[in-house]
Amino acid sequence: GAGVSQSPSNKVTEKGKDVELRCDPISGHTALYWYRQSLGQGLEFLIYFQGNSAPDKSGLPSDRFSAERTGGSVSTLTIQRTQQEDSAVYLCASSLDGDTQYFGPGTRLTVL
Amino acid sequence: EDQVTQSPEALRLQEGESSSLNCSYTVSGLRGLFWYRQDPGKGPEFLFTLYSAGEEKEKERLKATLTKKESFLHITAPKPEDSATYLCAVQVTGDTGRRALTFGSGTRLQVQP
């Protein structure tokens, strides 16, 4: 079946611009996660959605980062006023049971 | 604070040369330990989940084991296509229920023909 998909695969933007990254989870998966993988860093948790519950935003690094999930499916991660330190690969994962997380291919963000 | 440490950072093997990757963890309470494989430019690919000490899982040339302090990923007679970065992650118990993973920094494995 179809896995997690993300778009765009690559995004180059200028410092100060806003960007939106999209994630389509596996159909039927109620849990959705965003992670960030920076060069030389491990994956770090950003935000978690579970069903209709309020999202867990405890991993967001600043208030420039926000995310929403519409209809319990597609999610959009928005970064406002991008900075060079935001350059990273942004990974989305989804889970059916809250345990095993299946990752998408990621969006590589480059902030010039 | 939950911590996951993987060693070695990098490992170069000859084809057929078996070895093990280590993942040591310090957590308040372990709900599950996960192994992923990541190829360059791709997202992590799920390999195994281990829940309790003594548990073992196998898949082809890979075998994962778990103790109360660490996990090992044993690679038997590796092939060049096993070359990748192997990531270990933990999921902790607690009242948040968020199930977010805490990852180690990975082991880059290169298998030479």
Side-chain angles (χ1 to χ4, degrees):
Chain A
V4 177
S5 61
Q6 293 186 244
S7 61
S9 55
N10 283 283
K11 176 71 176 179
V12 180
T13 190
E14 294 179 347
K15 177 181 174 181
K17 300 283 189 180
D18 297 351
V19 295
E20 287 188 350
L21 313 179
R22 177 187 169 106
C23 172
D24 282 273
I26 294 172
S27 178
H29 281 195
T30 58
L32 187 148
Y33 304 78
W34 284 97
Y35 292 84
R36 178 169 71 173
Q37 189 172 32
S38 305
L39 189 63
Q41 302 282 334
L43 278 85
E44 58 174 330
F45 165 75
L46 297 177
I47 188 168
Y48 161 60
F49 297 89
Q50 172 60 59
N52 295 320
S53 303
D56 176 354
K57 305 178 182 180
S58 60
L60 295 179
S62 78
D63 58 8
R64 297 185 295 103
F65 288 73
S66 63
E68 63 178 16
R69 189 178 185 191
T70 55
S73 181
V74 171
S75 177
T76 301
L77 177 69
T78 300
I79 308 173
Q80 295 179 311
R81 305 181 302 281
T82 52
Q83 304 294 313
Q84 288 184 331
E85 60 263 29
D86 299 334
S87 295
V89 176
Y90 290 82
L91 291 158
C92 175
S94 71
S95 173
L96 175 63
D97 55 8
D99 288 349
T100 303
Q101 295 178 26
Y102 296 91
F103 284 81
T107 293
R108 180 175 298 278
L109 175 66
T110 303
V111 181
L112 301 177
Chain B
E1 183 180 342
D2 303 322
Q3 287 193 332
V4 180
T5 303
Q6 291 189 246
S7 63
E9 290 186 8
L11 181 62
R12 183 178 296 180
L13 300 174
Q14 293 295 317
E15 184 171 2
E17 179 186 4
S18 302
S19 188
S20 297
L21 312 183
N22 178 263
C23 170
S24 61
Y25 61 91
T26 305
V27 297
S28 51
L30 182 70
R31 190 172 189 278
L33 185 141
F34 300 79
W35 282 98
Y36 287 86
R37 167 192 172 130
Q38 187 173 28
D39 292 298
K42 296 189 177 181
E45 174 189 347
F46 170 72
L47 293 174
F48 303 108
T49 309
L50 301 167
Y51 291 105
S52 57
E55 189 175 0
E56 299 183 350
K57 294 275 181 73
E58 285 189 69
K59 179 181 179 180
E60 297 181 352
R61 296 176 293 282
L62 301 177
K63 178 176 157 181
T65 62
L66 181 66
T67 73
K68 290 185 178 181
K69 294 183 178 181
E70 58 192 349
S71 176
F72 291 93
L73 184 66
H74 307 278
I75 303 177
T76 302
K79 297 182 178 181
E81 52 262 42
D82 294 323
S83 298
T85 295
Y86 290 85
L87 299 168
C88 170
V90 296
Q91 193 178 60
V92 300
T93 58
D95 57 6
T96 63
R98 71 180 189 189
R99 307 285 189 254
L101 298 175
T102 299
F103 280 86
S105 54
T107 294
R108 295 189 311 278
L109 174 66
Q110 184 178 19
V111 182
Q112 296 183 313

